[in-house]
Amino acid sequence: YVGGNWFQEVGSTFTDNTRAVFLNGMGDQNISYGGSGSIDFSYLHIDKPSGNVNLGDDLKISQRLTFETSNTANIDASLTDVSVIISNDATNAIIRSSSTNSYVIGRLCRAIASDDNTYAYPVGTVLGYTPASIDFTGVIAFLDPDVCVRSYDGIDPDYITFSGLSTTKYIDRFWEVIP
């Protein structure tokens, strides 16, 4: 259980032996690496009564990300334009409670399995939760399996320019999907 910030020195490694790390501190908690790199966990549980988890570097989770039932925090990857990367291609590699404050602000990347699957992307912005769900059909194993999603507030800058759709009737939100 970690109640404070997580800082990993340059050149150091953290070995969790496939055990879970729980972030449960009051207020904001920061996760960062001393150089250019990523913080790697097998299992990460977010169970914070207040504040967010702010990322300074990419956060890689090899097995499962869990937002616990009592959680009121988001993972904020937008501050430094980093990613939350889930390398487990299981559709249930992200467990989310019913709380509306359990999502990633910024870019969420997921490994995608072969064949047909539906993946939830619990993403949003500081203004709110705006999830995406993507159905994949006929995925071939040897292709790059990561697909990233990010939600944005406002109208897509290309909406009016390229869509030919109404300039007055639109959703004030858009998503970026990066294969």
Side-chain angles (χ1 to χ4, degrees), residues 19 36 52 79-80 83 90 106 108 116:
R19 293 191 173 104
S36 61
N52 287 329
L79 301 176
T80 54
S83 300
L108 172 61
D116 303 343

Side-chain angles (χ1 to χ4, degrees), residues 96-168:
R96 192 178 163 274
S97 71
S98 60
S99 172
T100 57
N101 290 327
S102 296
Y103 59 91
V104 174
I105 299 170
R107 190 172 35 254
L108 172 61
C109 303
R110 298 195 66 174
I112 306 302
S114 297
D115 297 321
D116 303 343
N117 292 290
T118 300
Y119 289 87
Y121 286 82
V123 295
T125 67
V126 294
L127 296 180
Y129 176 54
T130 52
S133 178
I134 302 177
D135 294 328
F136 293 93
T137 305
V139 174
I140 300 171
F142 60 82
L143 297 177
D144 185 4
D146 290 341
V147 174
C148 303
V149 172
R150 182 176 185 156
S151 174
Y152 291 91
D153 295 319
I155 187 170
D156 182 338
D158 294 330
Y159 175 81
I160 295 171
T161 306
F162 297 108
S163 71
L165 300 173
S166 171
T167 58
T168 59

Side-chain angles (χ1 to χ4, degrees), residues 27-101:
D28 285 355
Q29 288 182 266
N30 300 309
I31 299 178
S32 60
Y33 184 77
S36 61
S38 66
I39 306 298
D40 301 333
F41 297 119
S42 293
Y43 297 87
L44 180 62
H45 291 255
I46 310 296
D47 192 14
K48 297 175 54 53
S50 65
N52 287 329
V53 176
N54 300 316
L55 302 182
D57 298 278
D58 286 341
L59 173 63
K60 294 182 180 178
I61 301 166
S62 64
Q63 296 301 315
R64 181 168 290 133
L65 169 62
T66 302
F67 291 98
E68 298 291 345
T69 304
S70 61
N71 183 60
T72 63
N74 298 314
I75 298 177
D76 194 341
S78 68
L79 301 176
T80 54
D81 198 34
V82 296
S83 300
V84 175
I85 303 161
I86 311 294
S87 58
N88 180 354
D89 64 11
T91 58
N92 66 349
I94 299 175
I95 305 294
R96 192 178 163 274
S97 71
S98 60
S99 172
T100 57
N101 290 327

